[in-house]
Amino acid sequence: MSSRKRFAVVAAAALTLIAPPLGVKAADAATTNTPASADKTYTAAEVLAGVKKNSTTANKVNSKPHINTMTRSQNVNVFQVSSGVYAYSSSLAVDDDGSDPDPDPDHQGETTFQDSNGKQLAAHHVPFYVLGDDCYDRKSPCPHFFYKEHGIKGRQFALMFYKSKVIGAIFGDTQTGNDQTTSDNDSRELGEASVKAASSLGIPSSGTTGGVDNGVTVVIFSGSSWVVNGANSALNANAQALVQKALDSLGAGMGL
């Protein structure tokens, strides 16, 4: 379990919502089945613009705000931007947990999820993102975004955007749950990802001094067809191989 401790450097700004409600939330499907248009290829910039356009109050999944892992501001929300696709924008605090050795004193040797061979994920080699371990509120449905309620499992694929870059990543670790006391953090946090995810996005990747306060958008594709399989040595390549497919599927699903 992640036990990253982060402190605010710059206060996070709340996301400005300017688009009209699109009614996406009503179709809270467990997977994304909308095929990409055969003659349309979408760029990362086009898809990210669509994600931001669909991040409206009407499409918000959580009723209570999440915590930005780096700044500690309670202003992070999750939106269903297309059928079975969930997005949030926050920080990137660097998670260096897993099988790779690391000098960070907070480093833990285990990750919540493992590769297809049952080995702990390697934070320096596998791009993964972090979600809350449980429902902080102990309610169902959870007032916060809780992955188990939305067809999301270990190694679930996501697109991660930062500035002009986009990468593929998998769901690899979770943030402290209610029954854990390993840090001052809790499962309401959003905004942490692995060393490999940070370095691939051009973000300082040290577990002690790296990360960025804001500007990273994570777009999660729910359902079993978007679970990435493979050993640690193959998971990065397997995730990157899905990036254009995901861009095209989401672009078509949002009607861009």
Side-chain angles (χ1 to χ4, degrees):
M1 303 295 181
S2 173
S3 63
R4 182 72 43 232
K5 294 184 180 181
R6 296 298 183 196
F7 301 94
V9 177
V10 180
L15 179 64
T16 301
L17 306 177
I18 59 174
L22 298 180
V24 180
K25 188 177 179 182
D28 194 354
T31 187
T32 306
N33 294 316
T34 305
S37 173
D39 58 355
K40 175 66 174 177
T41 297
Y42 295 88
T43 67
E46 289 174 325
V47 172
L48 181 58
V51 167
K52 291 181 177 179
K53 181 179 179 181
N54 284 12
S55 296
T56 65
T57 301
N59 297 333
K60 189 171 72 167
V61 177
N62 56 296
S63 59
K64 293 183 178 180
H66 287 264
I67 300 168
N68 178 312
T69 301
M70 287 285 277
T71 69
R72 317 304 301 164
S73 297
Q74 295 188 33
N75 63 355
V76 180
N77 295 300
V78 181
F79 303 90
Q80 187 190 341
V81 296
S82 185
S83 178
V85 183
Y86 304 92
Y88 63 89
S89 294
S90 188
S91 61
L92 193 154
V94 180
D95 185 344
D96 52 28
D97 292 344
S99 59
D100 287 323
D102 192 278
D104 180 3
D106 281 343
H107 170 79
Q108 299 179 71
E110 297 181 356
T111 50
T112 302
F113 303 107
Q114 292 74 45
D115 72 4
S116 295
N117 297 326
K119 303 294 185 182
Q120 303 300 324
L121 296 178
H124 291 258
H125 294 84
V126 178
F128 63 76
Y129 60 96
V130 178
L131 299 176
D133 188 68
D134 61 9
C135 178
Y136 180 89
D137 312 88
R138 299 187 186 276
K139 294 180 180 180
S140 182
C142 189
H144 293 93
F145 179 78
F146 181 39
Y147 70 92
K148 289 184 178 179
E149 296 181 340
H150 300 285
I152 296 170
K153 298 181 179 180
R155 302 199 309 273
Q156 197 79 45
F157 177 81
L159 292 169
M160 293 186 69
F161 298 85
Y162 180 67
K163 294 185 176 179
S164 61
K165 295 186 177 182
V166 62
I167 65 167
I170 66 171
F171 180 23
D173 207 1
T174 55
Q175 186 55 272
T176 306
N178 282 332
D179 59 350
Q180 298 171 303
T181 57
T182 56
S183 76
D184 296 329
N185 301 334
D186 62 50
S187 58
R188 293 172 294 178
E189 291 184 27
L190 287 174
E192 185 171 0
S194 68
V195 173
K196 182 63 175 179
S199 62
S200 298
L201 289 169
I203 295 170
S205 59
S206 166
T208 54
T209 62
V212 65
D213 284 354
N214 285 288
V216 177
T217 299
V218 180
V219 183
I220 305 168
F221 291 69
S222 68
S224 59
S225 64
W226 289 100
V227 172
V228 183
N229 296 311
N232 271 304
S233 59
L235 280 171
N236 179 44
N238 292 349
Q240 304 323 310
L242 291 173
V243 169
Q244 192 59 55
K245 175 185 175 181
L247 290 171
D248 294 345
S249 176
L250 183 53
M254 294 189 296
L256 301 180

